[in-house]
Amino acid sequence: MNKHKTKEIVLFKLKYPYGKPQVYLPTDLVMVASRLRSAGITSRIHDLNLHKLPSERNLKESRGFGVAVIGAPYISGSIELAAKLKETRKPIMIGGQVIEKLSDDQFRRLYGGGVVQAQNDYAIAEALD
């Protein structure tokens, strides 16, 4: 079995953009984690409202990353996080209703290269081989 295939995907819930803590069950990420699991991919959810960004070493041990953008106010936080995650050279997938509506050009202008616009299961499957 390919060692790469056994590593987990880290799914990030972004910090609430209005400066106060927001703690609730991230059902969007639970749903994504469930779909990944049914495809044989292990994942874990990391809530940036509750925990700091994992260490660089821990990030590099991951197979890749998913970031949920649940509304336009979260875009700037997702851009900052994607820039940090790019240093790992692992797949980064950004998704959510607001992301699905962006054109390819708009997405590229926001995130640059090396980030996958996770508009559907096929985009995610391609990013993860």
Side-chain angles (χ1 to χ4, degrees):
M1 181 178 210
N2 184 343
K3 189 168 111 177
H4 177 72
K5 300 272 186 214
T6 62
K7 294 180 181 179
E8 68 184 5
I9 301 292
V10 180
L11 303 172
F12 287 99
K13 179 176 182 263
L14 294 167
K15 280 185 104 167
Y16 186 63
Y18 299 113
K20 61 181 183 175
Q22 183 181 42
V23 182
Y24 61 90
L25 183 63
T27 55
D28 55 334
L29 290 178
V30 171
M31 204 166 72
V32 170
S34 172
R35 291 170 67 189
L36 287 169
R37 183 176 181 170
S38 69
I41 298 170
T42 304
S43 64
R44 78 178 152 89
I45 296 171
H46 188 91
D47 188 336
L48 292 171
N49 291 288
L50 301 172
H51 307 285
K52 293 180 181 180
L53 189 66
S55 70
E56 184 177 336
R57 182 175 148 229
N58 285 342
L59 290 173
K60 286 184 177 180
E61 290 175 358
S62 299
R63 179 176 175 189
F65 310 100
V67 181
V69 181
I70 59 174
Y74 289 86
I75 289 177
S76 64
S78 69
I79 292 169
E80 290 174 23
L81 179 57
K84 291 175 186 171
L85 296 175
K86 281 182 183 182
E87 296 171 13
T88 67
R89 300 185 179 271
K90 306 286 179 150
I92 303 165
M93 299 158 287
I94 311 282
Q97 287 183 340
V98 68
I99 298 300
E100 290 174 7
K101 306 235 184 292
L102 296 174
S103 70
D104 290 342
D105 185 55
Q106 290 169 326
F107 185 82
R108 219 175 7 265
R109 286 181 186 195
L110 289 170
Y111 296 99
V115 180
V116 174
Q117 185 176 7
Q119 293 177 307
N120 54 48
D121 290 347
Y122 299 109
I124 296 169
E126 188 174 307
L128 299 175
D129 293 330

